[in-house]
Amino acid sequence: FPTSLPTSFPTSLPTQSPESSPDDSCGNSVCDLDETHSTCPNDCILTTFTPQSNMDSSSRGQMFTISSTTKEVRIVSFDVVGEKDADDSKCMVYTRTGDYIGYEQDESGWELIFQKRLNMKQSEITNLGPLDQEVTIPAGSKQAFYVFCAAGIMHTMGDTEGSAFDSDGSIVISEGVSTGKSFQKLTRNARYSGGGRKYES
């Protein structure tokens, strides 16, 4: 007969399967809600949007809305077209949920999401660089933006404020207003002519 007792049952529970991490989904060709262009550029593909424009006017600021269509869209940066050659021009970007109506001259109703000094060239596109935070526009929603550069930016005069004038299938850009000063001296029916960078999620 054997002299030793049989081995006792293990006292610890079996190791649990590791939980999936947000990074596990990166590379599945879908920009998931927990991913961004910075964390997973292969899934959250950056694209540009450039409104059709003949740029027949200029101002210091452009206030307009962007609406998403069927998918959530995240705005990463904006482009401007310089009115003139300028060094060290102060540029700012503001945003607010929904429309800008009623807040055209009320800075307190906006969130500042970009502020930087840039060199600009006359009639040339300048990318402002990444916003301090990406702006998420849920599917079927509208977001207002105000892009301001002290040296002046080009735009196109439109026909009807609030009407859609350009779309790439994922977003719709509507006519807004221009300003001669920061939140002052409004001109209606202006079409934003700069464009920018975005991705869908």
Side-chain angles (χ1 to χ4, degrees), residues 92-182:
M92 296 174 287
V93 179
Y94 300 80
T95 191
R96 58 173 285 107
T97 301
D99 214 325
Y100 60 81
I101 301 297
Y103 296 91
E104 296 96 322
Q105 300 182 79
D106 182 6
E107 184 177 350
S108 66
W110 296 78
E111 179 182 4
L112 179 65
I113 55 172
F114 178 88
Q115 182 172 280
K116 191 175 181 180
R117 291 186 175 276
L118 299 168
N119 296 331
M120 301 169 62
K121 294 292 185 180
Q122 182 177 11
S123 301
E124 291 186 8
I125 295 175
T126 297
N127 180 254
L128 299 182
L131 300 175
D132 295 340
Q133 61 189 55
E134 296 178 355
V135 179
T136 300
I137 309 177
S141 299
K142 179 191 294 183
Q143 188 81 14
F145 294 93
Y146 180 43
V147 180
F148 178 89
C149 287
I153 52 180
M154 301 300 296
H155 70 269
T156 299
M157 292 306 300
D159 300 310
T160 306
E161 183 182 356
S163 64
F165 77 91
D166 200 88
S167 174
D168 67 358
S170 66
I171 61 171
V172 176
I173 306 176
S174 296
E175 290 187 16
V177 301
S178 64
T179 66
K181 291 185 177 181
S182 179

Coordinates of all heavy atoms in Angstrom, one line a residue, residues 92-182:
M92 N -8.1 82.3 -33.0 CA -8.8 81.6 -31.9 C -10.0 80.9 -32.6 O -10.5 81.3 -33.6 CB -9.4 82.7 -30.9 CG -8.3 83.4 -30.2 SD -8.9 84.7 -29.1 CE -9.4 85.9 -30.3
V93 N -10.4 79.8 -31.9 CA -11.6 79.0 -32.3 C -12.4 78.8 -31.1 O -11.9 78.4 -30.0 CB -11.2 77.7 -32.9 CG1 -12.4 76.9 -33.3 CG2 -10.3 77.9 -34.1
Y94 N -13.7 79.1 -31.2 CA -14.7 78.9 -30.2 C -15.8 77.9 -30.7 O -15.9 77.7 -31.9 CB -15.4 80.2 -29.8 CG -14.6 81.3 -29.3 CD1 -13.8 82.1 -30.2 CD2 -14.5 81.6 -28.0 CE1 -13.1 83.2 -29.7 CE2 -13.8 82.7 -27.5 CZ -13.1 83.4 -28.4 OH -12.3 84.5 -27.9
T95 N -16.5 77.3 -29.8 CA -17.5 76.4 -30.2 C -18.7 76.4 -29.1 O -18.5 76.8 -28.0 CB -17.0 74.9 -30.4 OG1 -18.1 74.1 -31.0 CG2 -16.7 74.3 -29.0
R96 N -19.9 76.0 -29.6 CA -21.0 75.8 -28.7 C -21.9 74.8 -29.3 O -22.0 74.7 -30.5 CB -21.7 77.1 -28.4 CG -22.3 77.8 -29.6 CD -23.2 79.0 -29.2 NE -24.5 78.6 -28.8 CZ -24.9 78.6 -27.5 NH1 -24.1 79.1 -26.6 NH2 -26.1 78.2 -27.1
T97 N -22.6 74.0 -28.4 CA -23.6 73.0 -28.9 C -24.8 73.7 -29.5 O -25.3 74.7 -29.0 CB -24.0 72.1 -27.8 OG1 -22.9 71.5 -27.2 CG2 -25.0 71.1 -28.2
G98 N -25.2 73.2 -30.7 CA -26.4 73.7 -31.3 C -26.0 74.9 -32.2 O -25.0 74.9 -32.9
D99 N -26.9 75.9 -32.2 CA -26.7 77.1 -33.1 C -26.0 78.2 -32.4 O -25.8 78.2 -31.2 CB -28.1 77.5 -33.6 CG -28.1 78.1 -35.0 OD1 -27.1 78.7 -35.4 OD2 -29.1 77.9 -35.7
Y100 N -25.6 79.2 -33.2 CA -25.0 80.4 -32.7 C -26.0 81.6 -32.5 O -25.7 82.6 -31.9 CB -23.8 80.9 -33.6 CG -24.3 81.2 -35.0 CD1 -24.9 82.5 -35.3 CD2 -24.2 80.3 -36.0 CE1 -25.4 82.8 -36.6 CE2 -24.6 80.6 -37.3 CZ -25.2 81.8 -37.6 OH -25.7 82.1 -38.8
I101 N -27.2 81.4 -33.0 CA -28.2 82.4 -33.0 C -28.4 82.9 -31.6 O -28.7 82.1 -30.7 CB -29.5 82.0 -33.6 CG1 -29.3 81.6 -35.1 CG2 -30.6 83.1 -33.6 CD1 -28.8 82.7 -36.0
G102 N -28.3 84.2 -31.4 CA -28.5 84.8 -30.0 C -27.2 84.9 -29.3 O -27.2 85.5 -28.2
Y103 N -26.1 84.4 -29.8 CA -24.8 84.5 -29.2 C -23.8 85.1 -30.1 O -22.6 84.9 -29.9 CB -24.4 83.1 -28.7 CG -25.3 82.5 -27.7 CD1 -26.4 81.7 -28.0 CD2 -25.0 82.7 -26.3 CE1 -27.2 81.1 -27.1 CE2 -25.9 82.2 -25.4 CZ -27.0 81.4 -25.7 OH -27.8 80.8 -24.8
E104 N -24.2 85.8 -31.1 CA -23.2 86.3 -32.1 C -22.3 87.3 -31.4 O -21.2 87.5 -31.9 CB -24.0 87.0 -33.2 CG -24.8 86.0 -34.1 CD -26.3 86.0 -33.6 OE1 -26.5 86.0 -32.4 OE2 -27.2 85.9 -34.5
Q105 N -22.8 88.0 -30.4 CA -22.0 89.1 -29.7 C -21.8 88.8 -28.2 O -21.6 89.7 -27.5 CB -22.6 90.4 -30.0 CG -22.7 90.8 -31.5 CD -23.3 92.2 -31.7 OE1 -22.6 93.2 -31.5 NE2 -24.6 92.3 -32.0
D106 N -22.0 87.5 -27.9 CA -21.9 87.1 -26.5 C -20.8 86.1 -26.3 O -21.1 84.9 -26.4 CB -23.2 86.6 -26.0 CG -23.3 86.2 -24.5 OD1 -22.2 86.5 -23.8 OD2 -24.3 85.7 -24.1
E107 N -19.6 86.5 -26.0 CA -18.5 85.5 -25.9 C -18.7 84.6 -24.7 O -18.2 83.4 -24.8 CB -17.2 86.3 -25.7 CG -15.9 85.5 -25.6 CD -14.7 86.3 -25.5 OE1 -14.7 87.5 -25.6 OE2 -13.6 85.7 -25.2
S108 N -19.5 85.0 -23.7 CA -19.7 84.1 -22.6 C -20.5 82.8 -22.9 O -20.4 81.9 -22.1 CB -20.4 84.9 -21.4 OG -21.7 85.2 -21.8
G109 N -21.1 82.8 -24.0 CA -21.9 81.7 -24.5 C -21.1 80.7 -25.3 O -21.7 79.7 -25.8
W110 N -19.8 80.9 -25.4 CA -19.0 80.0 -26.2 C -17.8 79.4 -25.3 O -17.4 80.0 -24.3 CB -18.3 80.8 -27.3 CG -19.3 81.4 -28.3 CD1 -20.1 82.5 -28.2 CD2 -19.6 80.8 -29.6 NE1 -20.9 82.7 -29.3 CE2 -20.6 81.7 -30.2 CE3 -19.1 79.8 -30.3 CZ2 -21.1 81.4 -31.5 CZ3 -19.6 79.5 -31.6 CH2 -20.6 80.4 -32.1
E111 N -17.3 78.3 -25.8 CA -16.1 77.7 -25.2 C -14.9 77.9 -26.1 O -14.9 77.5 -27.3 CB -16.3 76.2 -25.0 CG -15.1 75.5 -24.4 CD -15.4 74.0 -24.2 OE1 -16.4 73.5 -24.6 OE2 -14.5 73.4 -23.6
L112 N -13.8 78.5 -25.6 CA -12.6 78.7 -26.3 C -11.8 77.4 -26.4 O -11.5 76.8 -25.4 CB -11.7 79.8 -25.7 CG -10.4 80.1 -26.3 CD1 -10.6 80.7 -27.7 CD2 -9.6 81.0 -25.4
I113 N -11.6 76.9 -27.6 CA -10.9 75.6 -27.8 C -9.6 75.7 -28.6 O -9.0 74.7 -28.8 CB -11.8 74.6 -28.5 CG1 -12.3 75.1 -29.8 CG2 -13.0 74.2 -27.6 CD1 -13.1 74.1 -30.6
F114 N -9.2 76.9 -28.9 CA -7.9 77.1 -29.6 C -7.5 78.5 -29.5 O -8.3 79.4 -29.7 CB -8.1 76.7 -31.1 CG -6.8 76.9 -31.9 CD1 -5.8 75.9 -32.0 CD2 -6.6 78.1 -32.6 CE1 -4.7 76.1 -32.7 CE2 -5.4 78.3 -33.3 CZ -4.4 77.2 -33.3
Q115 N -6.2 78.8 -29.3 CA -5.7 80.1 -29.3 C -4.2 80.0 -29.5 O -3.5 79.4 -28.8 CB -5.9 80.8 -27.9 CG -5.4 82.2 -27.9 CD -5.9 82.9 -26.6 OE1 -7.0 83.4 -26.5 NE2 -5.0 83.0 -25.6
K116 N -3.8 80.7 -30.6 CA -2.4 80.6 -31.0 C -2.0 81.7 -32.0 O -2.9 82.2 -32.7 CB -2.1 79.2 -31.7 CG -0.7 78.9 -32.0 CD -0.6 77.4 -32.5 CE 0.8 77.0 -32.8 NZ 0.9 75.7 -33.4
R117 N -0.8 82.1 -32.0 CA -0.3 83.1 -33.0 C 0.4 82.3 -34.2 O 1.2 81.4 -34.0 CB 0.7 84.0 -32.4 CG 0.0 85.0 -31.3 CD 0.9 86.0 -30.8 NE 0.2 87.0 -29.9 CZ -0.5 88.0 -30.3 NH1 -0.5 88.3 -31.6 NH2 -1.1 88.8 -29.5
L118 N 0.0 82.7 -35.4 CA 0.4 82.0 -36.6 C 0.9 83.0 -37.7 O 0.5 84.2 -37.7 CB -0.7 81.2 -37.2 CG -1.3 80.1 -36.3 CD1 -2.6 79.6 -36.9 CD2 -0.3 79.0 -36.1
N119 N 1.8 82.5 -38.6 CA 2.1 83.3 -39.7 C 1.2 82.9 -40.9 O 0.9 81.7 -41.1 CB 3.6 83.0 -40.2 CG 4.6 83.4 -39.1 OD1 4.3 84.4 -38.4 ND2 5.7 82.7 -39.0
M120 N 0.7 83.9 -41.6 CA -0.3 83.6 -42.7 C 0.2 84.3 -44.0 O 0.9 85.3 -43.9 CB -1.7 84.2 -42.2 CG -2.2 83.6 -41.0 SD -3.7 84.4 -40.3 CE -4.8 84.2 -41.7
K121 N -0.2 83.7 -45.1 CA 0.1 84.2 -46.4 C -1.2 84.6 -47.1 O -2.2 83.9 -47.0 CB 0.8 83.1 -47.2 CG 2.2 82.8 -46.7 CD 3.2 84.0 -46.8 CE 4.6 83.6 -46.4 NZ 5.5 84.8 -46.5
Q122 N -1.1 85.6 -47.9 CA -2.3 86.1 -48.6 C -2.8 85.1 -49.6 O -2.0 84.5 -50.4 CB -1.9 87.4 -49.4 CG -3.1 88.0 -50.2 CD -2.8 89.3 -50.8 OE1 -1.6 89.7 -50.9 NE2 -3.7 90.0 -51.3
S123 N -4.1 84.8 -49.5 CA -4.8 83.8 -50.4 C -4.3 82.4 -50.3 O -4.6 81.6 -51.2 CB -4.7 84.3 -51.9 OG -5.2 85.6 -52.0
E124 N -3.5 82.1 -49.3 CA -3.0 80.7 -49.1 C -3.7 80.1 -47.9 O -4.0 80.8 -46.9 CB -1.5 80.7 -49.0 CG -0.7 81.1 -50.2 CD 0.8 80.9 -50.1 OE1 1.2 80.3 -49.1 OE2 1.5 81.3 -51.0
I125 N -3.9 78.8 -48.0 CA -4.5 78.0 -46.9 C -3.5 77.8 -45.8 O -2.3 77.4 -46.0 CB -5.0 76.7 -47.4 CG1 -6.1 76.8 -48.4 CG2 -5.5 75.8 -46.2 CD1 -6.6 75.6 -49.0
T126 N -3.9 78.1 -44.5 CA -3.1 77.8 -43.4 C -3.9 76.9 -42.4 O -5.0 77.3 -42.1 CB -2.7 79.1 -42.6 OG1 -1.9 80.0 -43.5 CG2 -1.9 78.9 -41.3
N127 N -3.3 75.8 -42.0 CA -3.9 75.0 -41.1 C -3.6 75.5 -39.7 O -2.4 75.7 -39.4 CB -3.5 73.5 -41.2 CG -4.1 72.6 -40.2 OD1 -3.5 72.2 -39.2 ND2 -5.4 72.3 -40.3
L128 N -4.6 75.7 -38.9 CA -4.4 76.3 -37.5 C -3.6 75.3 -36.6 O -3.0 75.8 -35.6 CB -5.7 76.7 -36.9 CG -6.5 77.8 -37.7 CD1 -7.8 78.1 -36.9 CD2 -5.7 79.0 -37.9
G129 N -3.7 74.1 -36.9 CA -3.1 73.1 -36.0 C -4.2 72.4 -35.2 O -5.4 72.8 -35.2
P130 N -3.9 71.4 -34.4 CA -4.9 70.7 -33.6 C -5.6 71.6 -32.6 O -5.0 72.4 -32.0 CB -4.1 69.6 -32.9 CG -2.8 69.5 -33.7 CD -2.5 70.8 -34.2
L131 N -6.9 71.4 -32.5 CA -7.7 72.1 -31.5 C -7.2 71.6 -30.1 O -6.7 70.5 -30.0 CB -9.2 71.8 -31.7 CG -9.8 72.3 -33.0 CD1 -11.2 71.8 -33.1 CD2 -9.6 73.8 -33.2
D132 N -7.4 72.4 -29.1 CA -7.0 71.9 -27.7 C -7.8 70.7 -27.3 O -7.3 69.9 -26.5 CB -7.3 73.1 -26.7 CG -6.5 74.3 -27.0 OD1 -5.4 74.1 -27.6 OD2 -6.8 75.4 -26.5
Q133 N -9.0 70.5 -27.9 CA -9.8 69.3 -27.7 C -10.6 69.0 -28.9 O -11.1 70.0 -29.5 CB -10.7 69.5 -26.4 CG -11.7 70.6 -26.6 CD -12.4 70.9 -25.3 OE1 -11.8 71.1 -24.2 NE2 -13.8 70.9 -25.3
E134 N -10.7 67.8 -29.3 CA -11.6 67.4 -30.4 C -13.0 67.8 -30.1 O -13.5 67.6 -28.9 CB -11.5 66.0 -30.7 CG -10.1 65.6 -31.2 CD -9.9 64.1 -31.5 OE1 -10.9 63.3 -31.2 OE2 -8.9 63.6 -31.9
V135 N -13.8 68.2 -31.1 CA -15.2 68.5 -30.9 C -16.1 67.4 -31.5 O -16.0 67.2 -32.7 CB -15.6 69.9 -31.5 CG1 -17.1 70.2 -31.3 CG2 -14.7 71.0 -30.9
T136 N -16.8 66.7 -30.6 CA -17.7 65.6 -31.1 C -19.1 66.1 -31.5 O -19.7 66.8 -30.7 CB -17.8 64.6 -30.0 OG1 -16.5 64.1 -29.7 CG2 -18.7 63.4 -30.5
I137 N -19.5 65.8 -32.7 CA -20.9 66.1 -33.1 C -21.6 64.8 -33.3 O -21.4 64.1 -34.2 CB -20.8 66.9 -34.5 CG1 -19.9 68.1 -34.4 CG2 -22.3 67.4 -34.8 CD1 -19.7 68.8 -35.7
P138 N -22.6 64.5 -32.4 CA -23.3 63.3 -32.5 C -24.1 63.2 -33.8 O -24.4 64.3 -34.4 CB -24.3 63.3 -31.3 CG -23.6 64.2 -30.3 CD -22.9 65.3 -31.2
A139 N -24.4 62.0 -34.2 CA -25.2 61.8 -35.5 C -26.5 62.6 -35.4 O -27.2 62.5 -34.4 CB -25.4 60.4 -35.7
G140 N -26.8 63.4 -36.4 CA -28.0 64.1 -36.5 C -28.0 65.4 -35.7 O -29.1 66.1 -35.6
S141 N -26.8 65.8 -35.2 CA -26.8 67.0 -34.3 C -26.0 68.2 -35.0 O -25.4 68.0 -36.1 CB -26.1 66.7 -33.0 OG -26.8 65.7 -32.3
K142 N -26.1 69.3 -34.4 CA -25.5 70.5 -35.0 C -24.6 71.2 -34.0 O -24.8 71.2 -32.8 CB -26.6 71.6 -35.4 CG -26.1 72.9 -35.9 CD -27.2 73.9 -36.0 CE -28.3 73.5 -37.0 NZ -29.3 74.5 -37.2
Q143 N -23.4 71.7 -34.4 CA -22.5 72.4 -33.6 C -22.1 73.7 -34.2 O -21.8 73.8 -35.4 CB -21.2 71.5 -33.4 CG -20.3 72.0 -32.4 CD -20.7 71.6 -30.9 OE1 -21.5 70.8 -30.7 NE2 -20.0 72.3 -30.0
A144 N -22.0 74.7 -33.4 CA -21.6 76.1 -33.9 C -20.1 76.3 -33.7 O -19.6 75.8 -32.6 CB -22.4 77.1 -33.2
F145 N -19.5 77.0 -34.6 CA -18.1 77.3 -34.5 C -17.9 78.8 -34.8 O -18.6 79.4 -35.6 CB -17.2 76.5 -35.4 CG -17.2 75.0 -35.1 CD1 -18.1 74.1 -35.7 CD2 -16.3 74.5 -34.2 CE1 -18.1 72.8 -35.4 CE2 -16.3 73.1 -33.8 CZ -17.2 72.3 -34.4
Y146 N -16.8 79.4 -34.2 CA -16.4 80.7 -34.5 C -14.9 80.7 -34.7 O -14.2 80.5 -33.7 CB -16.9 81.7 -33.4 CG -16.5 83.1 -33.6 CD1 -16.7 83.7 -34.8 CD2 -16.0 83.9 -32.5 CE1 -16.3 85.1 -35.0 CE2 -15.7 85.2 -32.7 CZ -15.9 85.8 -34.0 OH -15.5 87.1 -34.1
V147 N -14.5 81.0 -35.9 CA -13.0 81.0 -36.2 C -12.6 82.5 -36.4 O -13.2 83.1 -37.3 CB -12.7 80.2 -37.5 CG1 -11.2 80.2 -37.8 CG2 -13.2 78.7 -37.3
F148 N -11.7 82.9 -35.7 CA -11.3 84.3 -35.7 C -9.7 84.4 -35.8 O -9.0 83.8 -35.1 CB -11.7 85.0 -34.4 CG -11.3 86.5 -34.3 CD1 -12.1 87.5 -34.8 CD2 -10.1 86.8 -33.7 CE1 -11.7 88.8 -34.7 CE2 -9.7 88.2 -33.7 CZ -10.5 89.1 -34.2
C149 N -9.3 85.3 -36.8 CA -7.9 85.6 -36.9 C -7.8 87.1 -37.1 O -8.4 87.7 -38.0 CB -7.3 84.9 -38.1 SG -7.0 83.1 -37.9
A150 N -7.0 87.7 -36.3 CA -6.9 89.2 -36.2 C -6.4 89.8 -37.6 O -6.8 90.9 -37.9 CB -6.0 89.6 -35.1
A151 N -5.6 89.0 -38.3 CA -5.0 89.6 -39.6 C -6.0 89.5 -40.7 O -5.8 90.1 -41.8 CB -3.8 88.8 -39.9
G152 N -7.1 88.8 -40.5 CA -8.1 88.7 -41.6 C -8.1 87.4 -42.3 O -7.0 86.9 -42.7
I153 N -9.3 86.9 -42.6 CA -9.4 85.6 -43.4 C -10.5 85.8 -44.5 O -11.4 86.6 -44.4 CB -9.8 84.4 -42.5 CG1 -11.1 84.8 -41.6 CG2 -8.7 84.1 -41.6 CD1 -11.5 83.7 -40.7
M154 N -10.3 85.1 -45.5 CA -11.2 85.2 -46.7 C -12.5 84.3 -46.5 O -12.5 83.3 -45.8 CB -10.5 84.7 -47.9 CG -9.3 85.5 -48.3 SD -9.6 87.3 -48.5 CE -10.6 87.2 -50.0
H155 N -13.6 84.8 -47.1 CA -14.8 84.0 -47.1 C -15.6 84.4 -48.3 O -15.2 85.2 -49.1 CB -15.6 84.2 -45.8 CG -16.2 85.6 -45.7 ND1 -15.6 86.6 -45.1 CD2 -17.4 86.1 -46.1 CE1 -16.4 87.7 -45.1 NE2 -17.5 87.4 -45.8
T156 N -16.7 83.7 -48.5 CA -17.6 84.0 -49.6 C -18.9 84.5 -49.1 O -19.5 84.0 -48.1 CB -17.9 82.7 -50.4 OG1 -16.6 82.2 -50.9 CG2 -18.8 82.9 -51.6
M157 N -19.5 85.5 -49.8 CA -20.8 86.0 -49.4 C -21.8 85.0 -49.9 O -21.8 84.5 -51.1 CB -21.0 87.4 -50.0 CG -20.2 88.5 -49.4 SD -20.3 88.6 -47.6 CE -22.0 88.9 -47.4
G158 N -22.8 84.7 -49.1 CA -23.8 83.8 -49.4 C -25.2 84.4 -49.8 O -25.2 85.6 -50.2
D159 N -26.2 83.6 -49.6 CA -27.6 84.0 -50.0 C -28.5 84.1 -48.8 O -29.2 85.0 -48.6 CB -28.1 83.1 -51.1 CG -27.3 83.1 -52.3 OD1 -26.9 84.2 -52.8 OD2 -26.9 82.0 -52.8
T160 N -28.5 83.0 -48.0 CA -29.5 82.8 -46.9 C -28.8 82.3 -45.7 O -28.4 81.1 -45.7 CB -30.6 81.9 -47.3 OG1 -31.2 82.4 -48.6 CG2 -31.7 81.9 -46.3
E161 N -28.7 83.1 -44.7 CA -28.1 82.6 -43.4 C -28.8 81.4 -42.9 O -30.1 81.3 -42.9 CB -28.1 83.7 -42.4 CG -27.5 83.4 -41.1 CD -27.6 84.5 -40.1 OE1 -28.1 85.6 -40.4 OE2 -27.1 84.3 -38.9
G162 N -28.1 80.4 -42.5 CA -28.6 79.2 -41.9 C -28.9 78.1 -43.0 O -29.1 76.9 -42.6
S163 N -28.8 78.4 -44.3 CA -29.0 77.4 -45.3 C -27.8 76.6 -45.6 O -26.6 77.2 -45.5 CB -29.5 78.1 -46.6 OG -28.5 78.9 -47.1
A164 N -27.9 75.4 -45.9 CA -26.8 74.5 -46.2 C -26.1 74.9 -47.5 O -26.9 75.2 -48.5 CB -27.2 73.1 -46.3
F165 N -24.8 75.0 -47.6 CA -24.2 75.4 -48.8 C -23.1 74.4 -49.2 O -22.6 74.4 -50.4 CB -23.6 76.8 -48.8 CG -22.3 76.9 -48.0 CD1 -21.1 76.8 -48.6 CD2 -22.3 77.2 -46.6 CE1 -19.9 76.9 -47.9 CE2 -21.1 77.3 -45.9 CZ -19.9 77.1 -46.5
D166 N -22.7 73.5 -48.4 CA -21.7 72.5 -48.8 C -21.9 71.2 -47.9 O -22.2 71.3 -46.7 CB -20.3 73.1 -48.6 CG -19.3 72.3 -49.4 OD1 -19.1 72.6 -50.6 OD2 -18.7 71.3 -48.9
S167 N -21.6 70.1 -48.5 CA -21.7 68.8 -47.8 C -20.8 67.8 -48.4 O -20.6 67.8 -49.7 CB -23.1 68.3 -47.8 OG -23.2 67.0 -47.2
D168 N -20.2 66.9 -47.6 CA -19.3 65.8 -48.2 C -20.0 64.5 -47.9 O -19.3 63.4 -48.0 CB -17.9 65.9 -47.6 CG -17.8 65.6 -46.1 OD1 -18.9 65.4 -45.5 OD2 -16.7 65.6 -45.6
G169 N -21.2 64.5 -47.4 CA -21.9 63.2 -47.1 C -21.9 62.9 -45.6 O -22.9 62.3 -45.1
S170 N -20.9 63.3 -44.9 CA -20.9 63.1 -43.4 C -21.2 64.3 -42.6 O -21.7 64.2 -41.5 CB -19.5 62.5 -43.0 OG -18.5 63.4 -43.2
I171 N -20.9 65.5 -43.2 CA -21.2 66.7 -42.5 C -21.9 67.7 -43.5 O -21.8 67.6 -44.7 CB -20.0 67.4 -41.9 CG1 -19.0 67.8 -43.0 CG2 -19.4 66.6 -40.8 CD1 -17.8 68.6 -42.5
V172 N -22.7 68.6 -43.0 CA -23.3 69.7 -43.7 C -22.8 71.0 -43.1 O -23.0 71.2 -41.9 CB -24.8 69.6 -43.7 CG1 -25.4 70.8 -44.5 CG2 -25.2 68.3 -44.4
I173 N -22.3 71.9 -43.9 CA -21.9 73.3 -43.5 C -22.9 74.3 -43.9 O -23.3 74.3 -45.1 CB -20.5 73.6 -44.0 CG1 -19.5 72.5 -43.6 CG2 -20.0 75.0 -43.4 CD1 -18.1 72.8 -44.2
S174 N -23.3 75.1 -43.0 CA -24.4 76.1 -43.3 C -23.8 77.5 -43.3 O -22.8 77.8 -42.6 CB -25.5 76.0 -42.3 OG -26.2 74.7 -42.4
E175 N -24.5 78.4 -44.0 CA -24.1 79.8 -44.1 C -24.3 80.4 -42.7 O -25.2 80.1 -41.9 CB -25.0 80.6 -45.0 CG -24.7 80.2 -46.5 CD -25.5 81.1 -47.4 OE1 -26.0 82.2 -47.0 OE2 -25.6 80.8 -48.6
G176 N -23.3 81.3 -42.4 CA -23.4 82.0 -41.1 C -23.2 83.5 -41.2 O -23.8 84.1 -42.0
V177 N -22.4 84.0 -40.3 CA -22.1 85.4 -40.3 C -20.6 85.7 -40.2 O -19.8 84.8 -39.8 CB -22.8 86.2 -39.1 CG1 -24.3 86.0 -39.1 CG2 -22.2 85.7 -37.7
S178 N -20.2 86.8 -40.6 CA -18.8 87.3 -40.5 C -18.7 88.4 -39.5 O -19.7 89.1 -39.2 CB -18.2 87.7 -41.8 OG -18.8 88.8 -42.3
T179 N -17.5 88.6 -38.9 CA -17.4 89.7 -37.9 C -16.2 90.5 -38.3 O -15.1 90.0 -38.6 CB -17.2 89.2 -36.5 OG1 -16.0 88.4 -36.4 CG2 -18.4 88.3 -36.1
G180 N -16.3 91.8 -38.1 CA -15.2 92.7 -38.4 C -14.2 92.8 -37.2 O -13.0 93.1 -37.4
K181 N -14.7 92.6 -36.0 CA -13.9 92.5 -34.8 C -14.4 91.2 -34.0 O -15.4 90.6 -34.4 CB -14.1 93.7 -33.9 CG -13.5 95.0 -34.5 CD -13.6 96.1 -33.5 CE -12.9 97.4 -34.1 NZ -13.0 98.5 -33.1
S182 N -13.7 90.9 -32.9 CA -14.1 89.7 -32.2 C -15.5 89.9 -31.5 O -15.7 90.8 -30.7 CB -13.1 89.5 -31.1 OG -13.4 88.4 -30.3

